[in-house]
Amino acid sequence: MYGIKVHIWLPVFVENGMWVSVEDSNETVNQNFINKRLDEVSELAKIRGISGIQLDYLRFSGNADDYPDPTKSLNNFAHDAHDRIKAINHSLELSITIMPETYFKKS
C-alpha cells in the first residue's frame, strides 16, 4: 500500500549485550550457539508481512586477525541463514551489516 519494506534486525553474535565467540583461536566452532541463531532465523522468516532479515554483529569481537581463518565461520553462517530463509520464503531478502577489518600483513 505505501511501499514500505520491513526487515527484522537480528544481532547475531551478541547476546545480553555480550559478544559470543564464533570460534576460539584453535578454530573450535561454537556450533551450539550457531544452531540456536539459525533456528531464530528460521522462526523470523515465518513472520507474515516482512520483506527480509537484517543480520548485524556478524563478526568477531575485537580483532578478527587474531583468528586463523576469520571469514570461514562467518561465511558459513551467512550461507546457512540464506538457505533457511529461502527455504521458508524465497521472496525474503537477506541483508548483512559489514564492519570493515583493517588488513595488516603479519610478518
Side-chain angles (χ1 to χ4, degrees), residues 83-94:
D83 291 347
R84 285 186 179 217
I85 289 168
K86 294 300 183 175
I88 293 166
N89 182 341
H90 71 278
S91 67
L92 287 179
E93 297 174 358
L94 172 64

Side-chain angles (χ1 to χ4, degrees), residues 50-87:
I50 66 167
S51 298
I53 297 174
Q54 164 72 31
L55 303 179
D56 199 356
Y57 297 100
L58 185 63
R59 65 182 186 89
F60 287 83
S61 65
N63 188 0
D65 202 34
D66 291 340
Y67 299 87
D69 188 0
T71 59
K72 183 179 177 183
S73 294
L74 302 178
N75 286 342
N76 287 342
F77 182 89
H79 284 284
D80 291 346
H82 173 269
D83 291 347
R84 285 186 179 217
I85 289 168
K86 294 300 183 175

Side-chain angles (χ1 to χ4, degrees), residues 34-62:
I34 289 172
N35 290 341
K36 176 183 167 184
R37 278 295 188 256
L38 288 170
D39 289 345
E40 289 177 28
V41 166
S42 295
E43 289 304 312
L44 294 173
K46 295 174 186 175
I47 297 174
R48 291 182 54 190
I50 66 167
S51 298
I53 297 174
Q54 164 72 31
L55 303 179
D56 199 356
Y57 297 100
L58 185 63
R59 65 182 186 89
F60 287 83
S61 65

